[in-house]
Amino acid sequence: MSKFAVYPGSFDPITKGHLDIIERSLAIFDRVQVLVVHNPSKQAFFTIDERIEMIVKALGERSIDGQVSVASLSEGLLIDYSKKVGADTLIKGFRTGVDIEYELPMARVNRDLSGIETVFLPSDPANTHISSSLVKQVANLGGDISKYVPQSVIEAFRGKK
Ligand code: PNS
Protein backbone atom coordinates (compact mmCIF):
# COMPACT_ATOMS: atom_id res chain seq x y z
CA MET A 1 0.00 0.00 0.00
CA SER A 2 1.30 3.44 -0.89
CA LYS A 3 2.13 5.46 2.21
CA PHE A 4 0.95 9.03 2.03
CA ALA A 5 1.74 11.42 4.89
CA VAL A 6 0.73 15.00 5.60
CA TYR A 7 3.26 17.31 7.27
CA PRO A 8 1.16 20.11 8.83
CA GLY A 9 2.28 23.36 10.41
CA SER A 10 2.20 27.12 10.28
CA PHE A 11 5.47 27.37 8.31
CA ASP A 12 5.58 31.14 8.94
CA PRO A 13 8.13 30.88 7.34
CA ILE A 14 9.57 27.48 6.41
CA THR A 15 13.08 26.93 7.84
CA LYS A 16 16.00 24.63 7.06
CA GLY A 17 14.82 22.57 10.05
CA HIS A 18 11.45 21.95 8.37
CA LEU A 19 13.18 21.13 5.06
CA ASP A 20 15.38 18.55 6.79
CA ILE A 21 12.26 16.85 8.20
CA ILE A 22 10.64 16.86 4.73
CA GLU A 23 13.72 15.34 3.06
CA ARG A 24 14.07 12.64 5.70
CA SER A 25 10.36 11.81 5.60
CA LEU A 26 10.78 10.90 1.92
CA ALA A 27 12.84 7.88 3.03
CA ILE A 28 9.81 6.62 4.98
CA PHE A 29 6.78 7.66 2.91
CA ASP A 30 6.01 7.32 -0.80
CA ARG A 31 4.28 10.69 -0.93
CA VAL A 32 4.44 13.69 1.39
CA GLN A 33 2.25 16.78 1.41
CA VAL A 34 3.34 19.92 3.24
CA LEU A 35 0.14 21.46 4.60
CA VAL A 36 0.19 25.13 5.54
CA VAL A 37 -2.41 25.44 8.30
CA HIS A 38 -3.95 28.65 9.57
CA ASN A 39 -3.31 28.60 13.32
CA PRO A 40 -5.67 31.14 14.96
CA SER A 41 -3.59 31.14 18.15
CA LYS A 42 -0.60 32.61 16.27
CA GLN A 43 -0.30 36.06 14.67
CA ALA A 44 0.96 35.28 11.15
CA PHE A 45 3.60 37.43 9.44
CA PHE A 46 3.28 35.92 5.95
CA THR A 47 -0.02 35.18 4.21
CA ILE A 48 -0.88 31.57 3.43
CA ASP A 49 -0.14 32.21 -0.27
CA GLU A 50 3.25 33.73 0.52
CA ARG A 51 4.11 30.75 2.71
CA ILE A 52 3.10 28.31 -0.02
CA GLU A 53 5.21 30.18 -2.59
CA MET A 54 8.30 30.10 -0.32
CA ILE A 55 7.84 26.36 0.27
CA VAL A 56 7.34 25.51 -3.41
CA LYS A 57 10.47 27.45 -4.35
CA ALA A 58 12.48 25.87 -1.51
CA LEU A 59 11.44 22.37 -2.62
CA GLY A 60 12.52 23.29 -6.15
CA GLU A 61 15.89 24.55 -4.85
CA ARG A 62 16.42 21.07 -3.36
CA SER A 63 14.94 19.24 -6.40
CA ILE A 64 12.31 17.46 -4.32
CA ASP A 65 9.33 19.33 -5.77
CA GLY A 66 8.34 16.20 -7.74
CA GLN A 67 7.91 14.06 -4.62
CA VAL A 68 6.37 16.63 -2.29
CA SER A 69 3.12 18.53 -2.81
CA VAL A 70 2.05 21.70 -1.01
CA ALA A 71 -1.48 22.66 0.05
CA SER A 72 -3.23 24.76 2.67
CA LEU A 73 -5.98 24.38 5.24
CA SER A 74 -7.70 27.48 6.55
CA GLU A 75 -10.63 25.86 8.35
CA GLY A 76 -11.77 22.51 9.72
CA LEU A 77 -9.96 19.68 11.41
CA LEU A 78 -6.63 18.41 10.20
CA ILE A 79 -7.81 14.79 10.51
CA ASP A 80 -10.88 15.44 8.34
CA TYR A 81 -8.67 17.00 5.67
CA SER A 82 -6.18 14.11 5.93
CA LYS A 83 -8.93 11.50 5.53
CA LYS A 84 -10.37 13.41 2.57
CA VAL A 85 -7.06 13.35 0.70
CA GLY A 86 -6.31 9.74 1.70
CA ALA A 87 -3.35 10.38 4.01
CA ASP A 88 -2.76 7.66 6.60
CA THR A 89 -0.14 9.42 8.72
CA LEU A 90 0.79 12.85 10.05
CA ILE A 91 4.44 13.89 10.33
CA LYS A 92 5.71 16.18 13.07
CA GLY A 93 9.27 17.24 13.80
CA PHE A 94 10.44 17.92 17.32
CA ARG A 95 13.50 19.76 18.58
CA THR A 96 13.31 19.24 22.34
CA GLY A 97 10.95 17.91 24.98
CA VAL A 98 9.13 21.26 24.88
CA ASP A 99 7.91 20.45 21.37
CA ILE A 100 6.85 16.98 22.47
CA GLU A 101 4.83 18.43 25.38
CA TYR A 102 2.97 20.63 22.89
CA GLU A 103 2.55 17.98 20.18
CA LEU A 104 1.68 14.88 22.22
CA PRO A 105 -1.88 15.87 23.21
CA MET A 106 -2.64 16.80 19.58
CA ALA A 107 -1.25 13.47 18.35
CA ARG A 108 -3.37 11.60 20.90
CA VAL A 109 -6.57 13.53 20.11
CA ASN A 110 -6.00 13.11 16.37
CA ARG A 111 -5.56 9.33 16.78
CA ASP A 112 -8.48 9.10 19.20
CA LEU A 113 -10.84 10.83 16.77
CA SER A 114 -9.67 9.27 13.52
CA GLY A 115 -7.16 6.45 13.97
CA ILE A 116 -4.63 8.55 12.06
CA GLU A 117 -1.20 8.11 13.62
CA THR A 118 1.45 10.80 14.05
CA VAL A 119 5.08 9.96 13.33
CA PHE A 120 7.58 12.14 15.19
CA LEU A 121 10.98 12.78 13.63
CA PRO A 122 13.69 14.25 15.86
CA SER A 123 15.32 17.33 14.39
CA ASP A 124 18.93 17.11 13.34
CA PRO A 125 21.02 18.42 16.28
CA ALA A 126 22.30 21.17 13.97
CA ASN A 127 18.74 22.54 13.73
CA THR A 128 17.60 22.38 17.35
CA HIS A 129 17.82 26.16 17.84
CA ILE A 130 16.03 27.12 14.62
CA SER A 131 12.45 28.37 14.88
CA SER A 132 10.20 30.41 12.61
CA SER A 133 9.61 32.92 15.39
CA LEU A 134 13.33 33.58 15.97
CA VAL A 135 13.88 33.83 12.21
CA LYS A 136 11.16 36.53 12.02
CA GLN A 137 12.65 38.42 14.94
CA VAL A 138 16.21 38.37 13.53
CA ALA A 139 15.11 39.22 9.96
CA ASN A 140 12.83 42.05 11.00
CA LEU A 141 15.62 43.60 13.06
CA GLY A 142 18.01 43.48 10.10
CA GLY A 143 19.98 40.34 11.01
CA ASP A 144 21.35 37.62 8.73
CA ILE A 145 19.02 34.60 8.52
CA SER A 146 20.80 32.80 5.68
CA LYS A 147 21.98 29.97 7.99
CA TYR A 148 18.43 29.18 8.97
CA VAL A 149 16.21 29.52 5.93
CA PRO A 150 16.20 28.79 2.19
CA GLN A 151 16.87 31.53 -0.37
CA SER A 152 13.14 31.88 -1.13
CA VAL A 153 12.49 33.03 2.44
CA ILE A 154 15.30 35.61 2.36
CA GLU A 155 13.75 37.02 -0.81
CA ALA A 156 10.27 37.04 0.72
CA PHE A 157 11.48 39.11 3.69
CA ARG A 158 13.14 41.55 1.24
CA GLY A 159 9.82 41.82 -0.61
CA LYS A 160 8.01 42.76 2.60
CA LYS A 161 10.22 45.83 3.22
O1 PNS B 1 3.25 24.96 13.32
P1 PNS B 1 2.13 24.94 14.35
O2 PNS B 1 1.43 26.29 14.41
O3 PNS B 1 2.63 24.51 15.70
O4 PNS B 1 1.07 23.84 13.85
C1 PNS B 1 -0.06 23.51 14.66
C2 PNS B 1 -1.16 22.92 13.76
C3 PNS B 1 -1.53 23.92 12.71
C4 PNS B 1 -0.63 21.65 13.10
C5 PNS B 1 -2.38 22.58 14.67
O5 PNS B 1 -2.81 23.76 15.28
C6 PNS B 1 -3.54 21.96 13.88
O6 PNS B 1 -3.51 20.78 13.61
N1 PNS B 1 -4.54 22.80 13.46
C7 PNS B 1 -5.66 22.35 12.62
C8 PNS B 1 -6.99 22.30 13.38
C9 PNS B 1 -7.11 21.00 14.15
O7 PNS B 1 -7.22 19.92 13.59
N2 PNS B 1 -7.06 21.14 15.49
C10 PNS B 1 -7.13 20.01 16.41
C11 PNS B 1 -5.74 19.54 16.80
S1 PNS B 1 -5.80 18.16 17.92
Side-chain angles (χ1 to χ4, degrees):
M1 192 178 72
S2 159
K3 283 277 172 197
F4 175 30
V6 166
Y7 178 34
S10 297
F11 303 107
D12 184 39
I14 191 158
T15 67
K16 288 185 178 175
H18 295 129
L19 285 163
D20 177 57
I21 297 292
I22 295 167
E23 285 187 320
R24 285 164 50 210
S25 70
L26 288 172
I28 306 170
F29 299 99
D30 302 307
R31 282 193 301 139
V32 171
Q33 180 172 90
V34 180
L35 187 67
V36 179
V37 183
H38 169 66
N39 186 343
S41 59
K42 290 183 180 171
Q43 171 86 42
F45 182 71
F46 290 104
T47 66
I48 297 256
D49 285 347
E50 287 168 337
R51 286 179 254 170
I52 289 176
E53 193 181 330
M54 285 182 274
I55 295 167
V56 169
K57 283 186 186 163
L59 298 175
E61 285 167 22
R62 293 185 177 219
S63 303
I64 50 171
D65 43 336
Q67 297 141 276
V68 183
S69 58
V70 186
S72 66
L73 179 68
S74 50
E75 58 183 28
L77 284 173
L78 176 60
I79 47 168
D80 289 339
Y81 172 86
S82 302
K83 275 196 279 190
K84 195 175 77 189
V85 297
D88 32 40
T89 315
L90 301 172
I91 302 166
K92 292 285 181 89
F94 72 96
R95 292 161 295 190
T96 65
V98 175
D99 285 342
I100 289 283
E101 289 278 321
Y102 168 71
E103 295 289 351
L104 207 48
M106 287 196 278
R108 289 192 168 126
V109 168
N110 284 334
R111 177 168 170 264
D112 218 20
L113 295 179
S114 68
I116 293 176
E117 296 280 8
T118 300
V119 167
F120 288 100
L121 291 181
S123 74
D124 187 278
N127 298 330
T128 302
H129 57 302
I130 305 178
S131 70
S132 298
S133 51
L134 277 181
V135 162
K136 281 180 280 198
Q137 203 178 111
V138 172
N140 287 324
L141 294 171
D144 179 6
I145 53 167
S146 57
K147 276 185 182 172
Y148 310 132
V149 295
Q151 187 59 30
S152 60
V153 172
I154 296 170
E155 284 160 17
F157 273 109
R158 279 195 203 120
K160 282 276 193 185
K161 282 184 183 151

